[in-house]
Amino acid sequence: MARRSKQSISTFLVSALGMLCTLKAFVWVLETKVLNTSIEIPFLNYGIIIGIVLLILRISFVLIKNRARKSNNVQEVVNDVTVSNDISTFQCANCGKKVSEKVRSYCLERPNKFNNQVFCYDHQ
Ligand SMILES: [Zn+2]
């Protein structure tokens, strides 16, 4: 839903800008080919400038939001990995009893003795 509304805003801006440019081209053709005098339509120039500025703002806003979302995703993945890692290595590999951070790091620092597994005090 949110993405659809986003797209419609961009599409609206692009079509509005396209319309203004078409109008500008039409006026320019009218000026040079038909009337041979310059027609001053200030709102047209302002409209095109405002349209371009809005479109640039819109694009940069979408880009920044996408970038923020990407970094959020990466962070979530990292959190998931650490959480699952913690759950599997905070238990005794023999009896499943919960062990403290100290016991866990003690076991993991001695892979030769404990074969990269964590054991509670009773099973060490
Ligand atoms: Zn145990």
Side-chain angles (χ1 to χ4, degrees):
M1 281 299 268
R3 183 165 285 183
R4 190 168 289 179
S5 75
K6 228 182 262 171
Q7 260 178 354
S8 73
I9 290 171
S10 301
T11 316
F12 169 75
L13 281 174
V14 168
S15 54
L17 206 61
M19 238 168 65
L20 285 171
C21 286
T22 311
L23 208 63
K24 178 80 181 165
F26 176 72
V27 169
W28 180 78
V29 168
L30 216 64
E31 274 176 2
T32 53
K33 307 282 178 195
V34 183
L35 298 174
N36 281 327
T37 51
S38 70
I39 309 166
E40 280 301 318
I41 308 177
F43 87 88
L44 200 58
N45 293 329
Y46 289 136
I48 288 170
I49 291 165
I50 289 168
I52 289 169
V53 168
L54 280 177
L55 197 66
I56 289 168
L57 281 176
R58 181 72 212 163
I59 288 167
S60 51
F61 177 73
V62 169
L63 283 179
I64 288 166
K65 219 169 184 190
N66 278 350
R67 202 168 291 172
R69 195 178 299 158
K70 253 181 211 170
S71 65
N72 273 355
N73 281 351
V74 168
Q75 222 154 24
E76 269 168 33
V77 167
V78 168
N79 281 348
D80 273 1
V81 167
T82 45
V83 166
S84 64
N85 197 26
D86 282 352
I87 288 167
S88 61
T89 55
F90 270 108
Q91 288 180 326
C92 171
N94 203 340
C95 65
K97 208 167 112 183
K98 276 191 180 173
V99 300
S100 67
E101 170 78 53
K102 247 186 200 172
V103 176
R104 174 180 171 268
S105 49
Y106 174 82
C107 293
L108 292 180
E109 278 162 15
R110 292 159 181 81
N112 292 333
K113 193 177 173 189
F114 298 110
N115 196 24
N116 273 323
Q117 288 184 305
V118 177
F119 294 100
C120 67
Y121 276 123
D122 297 333
H123 293 111
Q124 274 173 21

